[in-house]
Amino acid sequence: MKKNLRVLLVGLLAVVGLVIFAGCGSNDGGTSGSSTADRAEADIDWQFISPADMKKVVEDEDAESYHVVDIQPEADFAKGHLPNSIELAAYPVDTKELEDIVTDSADQMSDDENPIYVMCPGGGAGAKRTISVLIDAGIDESRLYIIEDGAKGWPYKDDADLWVQS
């Protein structure tokens, strides 16, 4: 009986030790694969703009009246992007280094109240993480939009006025 009690106590101490050790690990805001929440899951009222509505913005609005933040990798950006895009090459915005790229770009958009449209490869988690970072950098959430379906789903790639290829 004493032996079983000893084994149980040693096992319990081992589990408690593992829990304490795991709890003392690095907490970097979820940016390097830690178990903390993903920025894409943040409690934000995500705003989306359809490709058709974004087409109207590009065609009808003065380029100075809005911002397009494109986080596609460099090679993908070279294959195509919206006119006047701010190239960040921060996709998937899931490390501190990639978040810093987005944060560093916030200054060029903080001096006005213009809408900011985020283009990522698929219009999903990368764009959401970008918006979360921009909000943390002081950009008003109401200005931030995700371009639905991202670059992969952009239906106007044959129009040179709507899709720039480097």
Side-chain angles (χ1 to χ4, degrees):
M1 177 78 174
K2 284 184 179 183
K3 184 176 181 183
N4 288 341
L5 185 58
R6 240 184 279 169
V7 169
L8 181 62
L9 284 175
V10 168
L12 183 60
L13 285 173
V15 169
V16 169
L18 284 174
V19 169
I20 291 172
F21 177 76
C24 292
S26 171
N27 182 357
D28 60 2
T31 60
S32 66
S34 69
S35 63
T36 58
D38 183 344
R39 282 185 173 276
E41 301 298 322
D43 186 19
I44 295 172
D45 290 328
W46 308 110
Q47 299 183 92
F48 294 88
I49 184 168
S50 70
D53 287 339
M54 190 66 214
K55 175 183 185 272
K56 291 176 190 171
V57 169
V58 173
E59 291 177 330
D60 300 340
E61 301 291 327
D62 180 351
E64 300 295 317
S65 68
Y66 63 92
H67 305 279
V68 176
V69 172
D70 193 315
I71 64 165
Q72 295 183 87
E74 286 180 41
D76 292 342
F77 185 86
K79 290 177 187 174
H81 56 273
L82 293 176
N84 305 308
S85 292
I86 300 168
E87 179 184 7
L88 297 186
Y91 182 79
V93 195
D94 63 351
T95 66
K96 175 75 169 113
E97 292 78 15
L98 295 174
E99 286 183 3
D100 288 346
I101 293 170
V102 174
T103 301
D104 292 346
S105 75
D107 286 344
Q108 60 188 314
M109 296 174 284
S110 63
D111 292 337
D112 58 50
E113 295 300 317
N114 296 338
I116 301 168
Y117 303 103
V118 178
M119 175 70 83
C120 78
K128 288 180 176 181
R129 290 184 198 109
T130 300
I131 286 174
S132 177
V133 171
L134 289 171
I135 290 169
D136 287 352
I139 303 292
D140 189 310
E141 177 179 336
S142 68
R143 297 175 55 201
L144 299 164
Y145 298 85
I146 297 169
I147 301 171
E148 289 178 352
D149 303 324
K152 291 177 184 171
W154 184 250
Y156 310 106
K157 291 180 180 174
D158 293 335
D159 187 335
D161 292 331
L162 298 172
W163 196 246
V164 178
Q165 297 179 11
S166 304

